[in-house]
Amino acid sequence: MPLLRRILCSAAAIGIVFISSAGTPGHAQATNFPDKPPILLGAAWYPEQWPESRWNTDLDLMEKAHIHLVRIGEFAWSSMEPSEGKYNFGWLDKAIAMAAQHHICVVLGTPSAAPPAWLTSKYPQTLRVSENGVRAQHGNRQQFSFSDPLYRKFVYNIVLQMARRYGHNPDVVGWQLDNEFAEPDFGPTAQAQFHAWLQKRYGTIANLNEKWATAYWSQTYDNFDEIPVRADNENPALLLDWKRFVTDTWKSYAQNQINALRPNIDPRQFITTNTMGWFDGFNEYELHSILDMAAWDDYISSDHYDYLDNGARHDLTRGYKRKDFWVMETEPVFVDWRKTNTPLKKGQVIDMAWQAIGHGANAVEYWQWRSAPNGQEEYHGTLIGADGKPVPVYWQIQKLGAEFDETGSALEGTSPHSRVAIINDYDSRWAINFQRQSARFDPVKEMLAFYDPLRTMSQAVDIVSAQAPLSSYKLVVAPALNVLTPVEAEHLMHYVRNGGHLILGPRSGMKNEYNGLNPQGQPGPLEPFLGARVLQYYALANNVPLDGFFGPGRAKIWAEQLTVTAKDPEADHIHVLERYGKSNGWLDGQPAIVTRRYGTGSITYVGAWLNPPLMQKFAAWALHDAGVRPILPNVPMGVEVCQRSSAAKDILILINHDTVTHTIMLRRPMFNLLGNKSMRVGEVTLPKYGVAVLEASPR
Ligand code: GLA
């Protein structure tokens, strides 16, 4: 039997599902440089904050912790260009060379998030204006205007200098543009650009007036210059277009830097930027269309590590390019910007890092190596203390580094693959957030209500845009696809007609691309296809009972009264799966979930925010109906299963996020890459926060 066939057969025998890559194949290793490790441990290092005499000690400690990567430079503009047009790169040359002597490669951050004082004081128009008209000042970071042409010129120049100097340096593996794109500018330049952007989109002011329905409250505009710039409390059409304008402006801001980099750098050096999980300031899919790789800063969302939420944000980031990604920053135990900066528990640092790898990260980088001797972030967690000596977490990270080194070659070439996709749509999230109707209707939480049981049961979920190719998925869930264009609707219908299983959550298909109400009602263009529609939506103060195919449960926060519109529901294979019980009178006995079969595919509309036990049952049904099986069955709650595969092998990463020991039975003996590698094991016992990395292919 040919080798690949044999591997496929043995994998099937042990219940491991091989899935061919969806869309573009994943980045299979940390960098495009074959001489660098396939999985990288790293730290954010700021040599400009320290005397050169200290650097070697730091790099030595890094090397001892198996750190193979540093990110340098992203706030160091005043050190690189101390005065206008006068450059000083000597220190950076030395820092890169010295790091290389310690087998540490470099990501260079472009310094545009922190312009020097000489620049902003001489050219104050480069400073950002807030929504209430206040111009930013020097002394903090992100004070620049993302749209100001002069600022862009200065940025282009400094990036060009860097590109020419380091674009072919074999120790520089990639570039991070700026740092956490976030704050837009509301000043006169941005406003004029917004007007030009609107004119390009709508052609005439009459067309804009029509699409925005400006007769409402006498908003009718006579020309584009009259349109205000607002991010809140405005016509929903303006608000949505403002977000799109902000997206395009960040994209051209990034492109300006890419223009300086691309012609001057080695094609093996990647270009990325560090993103922020659920942050919705602009559309990440648009931005990533011009980047080589996605990266994000993984800081836990609340005062405890919620592994499902954290895993979802990894999946979100992986979805920006539908490829493996990097964790460009993560916390060494605690941060300094929450209300109470509680530490991760001992052991969770390793657990969290392995979760990143399990979800498709090829690098995990700690922010930061050591606190600056002064400055806004003195209290943040680090690996090295104020005395220059390792703090307790250093030893844990050193252990992690050894594990990355040990397993790197096995992980090389592998990526996560999933048969389940959740659609993340920025237009819809923005539209709902502008007009929540219920303050508790947070579109991200609503997405997670679907994600959590789907991820737990299927053990692999992609989070992708509404435009992503869907044919490789058995199940696609659009949790609240509020803004639905005819093109997107056709894309979804094509998926179902070809055997896909589509689930729409509450509030789907309500709005058109101008954030106006769809005249067909909900779910807009999908109504005839579903054979059912929403008659009315209701925000809920109290839970409403539900009953039906999945048994009793509750609707919380939101409930939509559905009705079947098809003439012959039975002939059209339309079924009401769940109905509301007695509540506000309007909902009593009315359909809450409707499904319709199309050959081997189906479309299902869920009109209510289901409470967790009911959502659990619903998700189990949806997965079963779509033919999605878990990677590893019978895994206890709190133990996460991640799989990275290539055509030749499967790697399982099992993580016990729980505080008690669990034993996990494997379907067939596997090699334990963190244990005695030459011996196969049939089960693994994981202590609290314990991790196992297992290989299924013959070695
Ligand atoms: C962000 C920034 C870093 C640092 C950390 C602190 O992610 O990118 O520069 O401020 O937060 O948590």
Side-chain angles (χ1 to χ4, degrees):
M1 203 185 318
L3 180 64
L4 184 59
R5 236 344 246 300
R6 206 167 61 220
I7 294 166
L8 288 169
C9 292
S10 53
I14 58 171
I16 288 172
V17 188
F18 275 97
I19 296 162
S20 64
S21 171
T24 10
H27 251 317
Q29 92 151 55
T31 71
N32 299 320
F33 290 73
D35 62 329
K36 308 289 184 257
I39 299 289
L40 284 169
L41 180 70
W45 183 43
Y46 298 94
E48 73 276 18
Q49 295 167 4
W50 301 98
E52 207 184 301
S53 55
R54 168 71 202 186
W55 295 356
N56 206 44
T57 313
D58 278 322
L59 291 163
D60 205 35
L61 282 165
M62 286 184 208
E63 194 178 359
K64 290 199 170 94
H66 306 267
I67 285 176
H68 300 301
L69 165 79
V70 285
R71 185 193 60 188
I72 314 182
E74 81 278 11
F75 300 118
W77 196 337
S78 65
S79 302
M80 296 181 201
E81 190 179 359
S83 59
E84 190 173 344
K86 300 271 177 305
Y87 300 102
N88 174 18
F89 286 110
W91 65 273
L92 190 50
D93 296 349
K94 278 189 206 152
I96 296 170
M98 221 182 255
Q101 280 162 16
H102 291 267
H103 313 287
I104 293 172
C105 61
V106 171
V107 167
L108 277 180
T110 68
S112 48
W118 59 256
L119 195 165
T120 53
S121 48
K122 188 166 172 198
Y123 308 101
Q125 72 268 41
T126 59
L127 288 164
R128 182 167 58 81
V129 176
S130 69
E131 194 178 351
N132 50 17
V134 179
R135 208 173 266 286
Q137 292 184 354
H138 196 76
N140 222 315
R141 58 180 170 179
Q142 296 184 318
Q143 69 269 46
F144 64 91
S145 159
F146 74 154
S147 50
D148 180 59
L150 184 64
Y151 188 65
R152 288 189 179 192
K153 205 169 140 239
F154 277 107
V155 170
Y156 180 87
N157 286 341
I158 185 73
V159 177
L160 185 66
Q161 294 294 328
M162 292 175 79
R164 286 184 177 151
R165 201 164 183 105
Y166 305 112
H168 297 284
N169 185 320
D171 300 309
V172 174
V173 293
W175 298 79
Q176 173 190 298
L177 305 182
D178 203 273
N179 189 79
E180 296 188 341
F181 291 1
E183 296 299 331
D185 180 16
F186 295 83
T189 317
Q191 188 158 1
Q193 290 175 2
F194 182 47
H195 293 156
W197 185 93
L198 290 170
Q199 182 143 26
K200 193 163 169 226
R201 176 163 163 81
Y202 292 97
T204 63
I205 198 70
N207 185 33
L208 179 142
N209 280 322
E210 187 208 320
K211 298 296 182 337
W212 288 19
T214 51
Y216 174 78
W217 285 357
S218 221
Q219 285 169 30
T220 314
Y221 297 106
D222 301 307
N223 58 64
F224 287 95
D225 297 347
E226 293 169 359
I227 298 171
V229 168
R230 309 248 338 133
D232 202 3
N233 235 335
E234 246 298 338
N235 182 319
L238 181 149
L239 294 179
L240 197 56
D241 275 340
W242 169 253
K243 286 284 198 184
R244 291 170 176 150
F245 163 77
V246 168
T247 298
D248 284 355
T249 309
W250 277 121
K251 194 173 164 184
S252 59
Y253 177 83
Q255 188 63 54
N256 175 52
Q257 302 199 22
I258 294 171
N259 292 346
L261 287 168
R262 197 73 81 193
N264 295 296
I265 66 173
D266 190 322
R268 289 182 305 173
Q269 293 180 342
F270 62 77
I271 301 176
T272 187
T273 191
N274 50 342
T275 61
M276 294 186 280
W278 298 124
F279 173 77
D280 72 348
F282 55 88
N283 182 332
E284 295 286 2
Y285 301 108
E286 279 293 319
L287 176 70
H288 281 80
S289 65
I290 56 169
L291 300 177
D292 300 323
M293 183 184 90
W296 79 293
D297 296 346
D298 180 5
Y299 297 99
I300 60 175
S301 298
S302 63
D303 60 4
H304 76 283
Y305 168 39
D306 172 347
Y307 75 89
L308 283 167
D309 169 75
N310 207 61
R313 290 182 294 149
H314 285 306
D315 296 341
L316 172 79
T317 309
R318 196 177 67 248
Y320 296 156
K321 289 205 74 74
R322 289 179 288 111
K323 279 184 185 175
D324 291 1
F325 60 96
W326 276 27
V327 169
M328 196 60 95
E329 297 180 14
T330 191
E331 55 192 89
V333 191
F334 53 82
V335 296
D336 67 336
W337 41 262
R338 280 193 209 103
K339 263 194 181 148
T340 308
N341 296 299
T342 48
L344 289 165
K345 310 259 173 11
K346 195 171 177 189
Q348 279 183 329
V349 174
I350 291 189
D351 159 332
M352 225 178 125
W354 272 110
Q355 189 196 34
I357 305 298
H359 283 254
N362 290 330
V364 174
E365 215 185 322
Y366 286 92
W367 197 94
Q368 58 175 328
W369 174 247
R370 183 178 180 180
S371 284
N374 205 327
Q376 279 87 325
E377 296 176 298
E378 288 173 297
Y379 273 90
H380 201 285
T382 55
L383 276 70
I384 295 296
D387 58 359
K389 301 209 169 80
V391 295
V393 73
Y394 172 92
W395 307 107
Q396 291 247 308
I397 290 171
Q398 183 183 56
K399 175 174 178 282
L400 173 72
E403 292 177 357
F404 281 5
D405 282 354
E406 222 181 326
T407 53
S409 59
L411 285 159
E412 186 171 354
T414 65
S415 300
H417 300 290
S418 168
R419 289 295 188 154
V420 180
I422 291 190
I423 289 178
N424 168 55
D425 183 54
Y426 286 98
D427 279 359
S428 298
R429 280 170 57 189
W430 292 330
I432 291 173
N433 281 331
F434 298 146
Q435 296 171 300
R436 279 220 180 160
Q437 186 70 359
S438 163
R440 291 189 297 149
F441 200 112
D442 174 342
V444 169
K445 291 209 171 110
E446 206 267 340
M447 186 192 297
L448 290 172
F450 281 97
Y451 175 91
D452 288 2
L454 289 171
R455 176 66 176 75
T456 305
M457 286 185 267
S458 74
Q459 297 159 350
V461 170
D462 284 353
I463 298 181
V464 296
S465 82
Q467 289 81 37
L470 300 176
S471 58
S472 65
Y473 299 114
K474 291 185 165 188
L475 179 64
V476 171
V477 180
L481 195 55
N482 195 236
V483 176
L484 182 63
T485 65
V487 174
E488 283 165 359
E490 183 45 48
H491 182 50
L492 296 175
M493 290 188 286
H494 178 79
Y495 166 70
V496 173
R497 283 193 207 101
N498 285 288
H501 294 265
L502 172 69
I503 291 167
L504 297 159
R507 301 179 81 150
S508 290
M510 182 184 185
K511 300 289 195 80
N512 63 22
E513 66 172 292
Y514 307 103
N515 209 2
L517 294 167
N518 257 332
Q520 308 101 308
Q522 244 180 291
L526 288 176
E527 190 258 296
F529 192 66
L530 175 69
R533 65 184 294 249
V534 177
L535 271 185
Q536 188 55 276
Y537 51 82
Y538 304 97
L540 303 179
N542 301 311
N543 291 353
V544 164
L546 282 162
D547 210 346
F549 182 72
F550 307 110
R554 302 203 158 260
K556 58 178 204 175
I557 302 173
W558 196 264
E560 289 168 345
Q561 177 184 355
L562 307 186
T563 187
V564 174
T565 48
K567 286 213 182 70
D568 189 347
E570 222 175 289
D572 286 341
H573 310 285
I574 298 173
H575 300 284
V576 173
L577 294 179
E578 203 78 4
R579 287 179 185 272
Y580 299 100
K582 278 217 164 314
S583 57
N584 61 7
W586 306 110
L587 286 166
D588 300 8
Q590 299 299 307
I593 305 179
V594 172
T595 192
R596 179 177 191 174
R597 212 143 269 285
Y598 272 93
T600 54
S602 67
I603 173 169
T604 303
Y605 191 98
V606 183
W609 187 321
L610 308 180
N611 71 335
L614 183 58
M615 183 58 102
Q616 174 88 13
K617 289 185 204 159
F618 174 78
W621 167 81
L623 290 169
H624 182 263
D625 199 43
V628 180
R629 291 182 296 140
I631 293 164
L632 195 63
N634 307 319
V635 174
M637 268 310 287
V639 174
E640 188 177 6
V641 176
C642 303
Q643 182 174 271
R644 291 177 57 134
S645 22
S646 66
K649 64 183 163 190
D650 269 357
I651 306 286
L652 278 187
I653 297 173
L654 305 181
I655 309 164
N656 182 7
H657 301 290
D658 205 352
T659 50
V660 295
T661 300
H662 287 292
T663 297
I664 294 104
M665 301 301 296
L666 305 173
R667 296 281 287 273
R668 200 192 90 164
M670 297 170 84
F671 294 104
N672 186 349
L673 303 182
L674 294 178
N676 181 350
K677 283 201 209 65
S678 58
M679 231 177 67
R680 289 178 199 227
V681 293
E683 61 176 44
V684 275
T685 297
L686 298 176
K688 77 170 181 180
Y689 312 137
V691 176
V693 183
L694 302 147
E695 188 172 345
S697 66
R699 293 173 64 79

